[in-house]
Amino acid sequence: MNRSPDARDEPPGADLDKPADGHGMRWHQLVGTIPMNARKGAGSAMRPAFAPRSVIAATLAGSGYIHTQLYLAGYRFIHIVGVLYLLQAIAAFAVAALMLFTAPALLRVAAAGVALGALAGFTASRTIGVFGFTERGLQPAPQAMLNLLLEVGTLLLLAAWQQPRGSVALVAPNIP
């Protein structure tokens, strides 16, 4: 019920749910004319699907967990590298948490950056070294292999999610 005149010049006390002068449609009649797929929620079409976001968040969180585990197991005492492990873990957890709520392009780039950063550090520590720190093979086991799988998995999932969808929809002919 309208308590004061508004932009539609309705008198106070007018029932805004009813059509003025018997013309037009009531709200429930108008909603009934909207197709069901359009009524599901305006935000659902804008928000990326939850399934790929949650899987990518899980791979990032797994990587963050492994980096935290190694940091606490003794990597924190390695000059500069310990801090880098902690920063990698924090970044992975932060991006994973944000990915659960939304996934704009910038956040997906950040997720790829976290994964690429971990892979770059992994590769550098086994080839040229990182601030004097080197590792051999897939040590420490099994964390090195698990982290490799999680980081590569994150990148593959992000790449698969970004593949363009077919713009042409196949429609069956309407043959009587």
Side-chain angles (χ1 to χ4, degrees):
M1 181 180 279
N2 192 13
R3 300 207 187 280
S4 63
D6 62 2
R8 296 189 306 177
D9 294 328
E10 295 287 340
D15 191 350
L16 298 180
D17 223 12
K18 295 181 182 173
D21 302 329
H23 296 51
M25 300 178 90
R26 291 193 173 137
W27 174 250
H28 69 278
Q29 292 170 322
L30 178 64
V31 172
T33 63
I34 299 173
M36 285 301 289
N37 59 356
R39 274 193 265 167
K40 286 183 182 177
S44 63
M46 300 292 286
R47 191 175 325 162
F50 182 72
R53 287 187 295 124
S54 61
V55 174
I56 292 168
T59 59
L60 286 170
S63 172
Y65 175 76
I66 290 172
H67 279 87
T68 302
Q69 183 184 33
L70 290 173
Y71 175 81
L72 295 174
Y75 278 57
R76 67 178 173 239
F77 299 115
I78 302 170
H79 182 65
I80 299 176
V81 173
V83 174
L84 293 176
Y85 263 77
L86 183 60
L87 290 174
Q88 178 71 24
I90 291 168
F93 284 129
V95 173
L98 290 172
M99 188 72 71
L100 289 175
F101 298 105
T102 185
L106 186 60
L107 187 61
R108 294 189 302 261
V109 169
V114 168
L116 286 171
L119 288 173
F122 183 87
T123 303
S125 72
R126 282 151 177 78
T127 55
I128 60 173
V130 178
F131 299 105
F133 176 73
T134 57
E135 294 179 294
R136 302 265 183 245
L138 292 176
Q139 296 300 320
Q143 292 92 341
M145 178 57 84
L146 290 173
N147 199 48
L148 267 177
L149 292 172
L150 289 169
E151 300 299 347
V152 170
T154 299
L155 292 172
L156 290 174
L157 288 166
L158 285 166
W161 193 16
Q162 297 309 312
Q163 290 298 316
R165 309 297 189 274
S167 60
V168 178
L170 299 176
V171 178
N174 190 6
I175 301 174

